[in-house]
Amino acid sequence: MKDTWTERWNDRYSNEEFAYGEQPNNYLKEQLEKLTVGTILFPAEGEGRNAIFAAKLGWTVSAFDISIEGKNKAFQLAETNHVTIDYQVGELHTLDYRTEQFDAIALIYAHFPADIKFHYHKTLDKYLQKNGIVIFEAFSKKHIDYISKNEKVGGPKDTESLFSIDEIKSDFSNYEIIELTEKEIELNEGLFHNGKGSVIRFVGRKK
């Protein structure tokens, strides 16, 4: 990963305030509460708001990010909420997850650089058990139009880093689709996700 990319996220997460707030993403919360507690992985987890929520529900939680500052904030939030999580820092290929280790994987605004996102999705798939669940919410390619009207809504400014329904179908072709939709939502998450945006929401079960 480019050093400038890592620096960007370290800079964002080094402030006292939580960049995307301390509460879990609404879609993640809604979907996670439907599932039986087990093992779950949070890629690109940043400051830990979603991982900490899962831990409070009783999940055995693993998370990773390229930002050491994100990990520091996640541990701070975990301590505040009296839970523990496993949090690794680094690119996915450097981490020590095992084949079929997890019952669920939650990709919440996990906008990996365009040149690696397909590879990351395929690698993460190997870590999910058969019948395991993927929960996904991220900005759609239409979101570029929303950023042009309101930069406070956040999200990548290059179309290649955004998602389409066809892309999700391709990346997760070996999944039963429980839900797959593109929709406009109102975001109110901390400092950097505020206003109307266009997202892809996906829940799939690995076949």
Side-chain angles (χ1 to χ4, degrees):
M1 201 76 68
K2 298 172 188 172
D3 285 345
T4 52
W5 186 251
T6 306
E7 286 169 11
R8 176 192 173 197
W9 291 106
N10 276 332
D11 182 60
R12 176 159 292 187
Y13 297 147
S14 64
N15 296 314
E16 185 176 342
E17 214 165 337
F18 281 73
Y20 300 100
E22 298 179 35
Q23 299 305 310
N25 169 266
N26 287 336
Y27 189 64
L28 180 277
K29 181 177 185 291
E30 173 190 312
Q31 297 303 321
L32 208 56
E33 287 175 339
K34 297 176 183 178
L35 301 180
T36 303
V37 167
T39 53
I40 188 167
L41 175 64
F42 288 88
E45 175 52 7
E47 297 169 315
R49 63 194 177 106
N50 297 308
I52 280 20
F53 172 74
K56 288 169 71 176
L57 292 180
W59 288 80
T60 300
V61 177
S62 297
F64 73 88
D65 201 281
I66 56 169
S67 170
I68 186 65
E69 295 292 347
K71 177 181 178 177
N72 292 341
K73 292 284 277 296
F75 278 3
Q76 176 188 326
L77 193 61
E79 186 175 355
T80 301
N81 285 276
H82 310 291
V83 295
T84 58
I85 61 172
D86 172 72
Y87 195 123
Q88 299 186 44
V89 175
E91 296 178 53
L92 184 55
H93 69 272
T94 69
L95 309 178
D96 59 358
Y97 301 119
R98 302 185 307 277
T99 300
E100 299 186 353
Q101 181 176 346
F102 298 103
D103 299 305
I105 294 177
L107 289 152
I108 305 299
Y109 296 95
H111 286 278
F112 302 113
D115 59 341
I116 65 169
K117 65 179 183 177
F118 171 79
H119 173 67
Y120 264 44
H121 287 167
K122 291 302 182 185
T123 303
L124 290 167
D125 171 70
K126 295 174 187 174
Y127 301 146
L128 188 65
Q129 294 181 13
K130 186 179 179 182
N131 296 316
I133 297 291
V134 164
I135 302 168
F136 177 102
E137 180 175 280
F139 292 118
S140 81
K141 293 190 184 297
K142 292 180 184 174
H143 186 66
I144 289 288
D145 297 334
Y146 290 81
I147 297 174
S148 67
K149 296 171 187 169
N150 171 28
E151 287 205 352
K152 290 182 179 178
V153 72
K157 296 178 180 178
D158 63 300
T159 308
E160 293 77 19
S161 296
L162 302 171
F163 296 95
S164 68
I165 283 179
D166 285 345
E167 199 170 53
I168 296 303
K169 284 181 178 177
S170 174
D171 286 8
F172 298 95
S173 58
N174 56 326
Y175 284 70
E176 173 197 345
I177 296 173
I178 297 169
E179 178 177 5
L180 179 57
T181 184
E182 182 172 7
K183 65 184 299 182
E184 179 184 275
I185 66 168
E186 183 81 30
L187 283 161
N188 181 19
E189 297 184 328
L191 302 172
F192 293 100
H193 275 176
N194 290 286
K196 284 188 172 63
S198 178
V199 300
I200 302 285
R201 287 176 164 177
F202 168 60
V203 177
R205 179 179 287 108
K206 184 176 178 179
K207 294 179 182 176

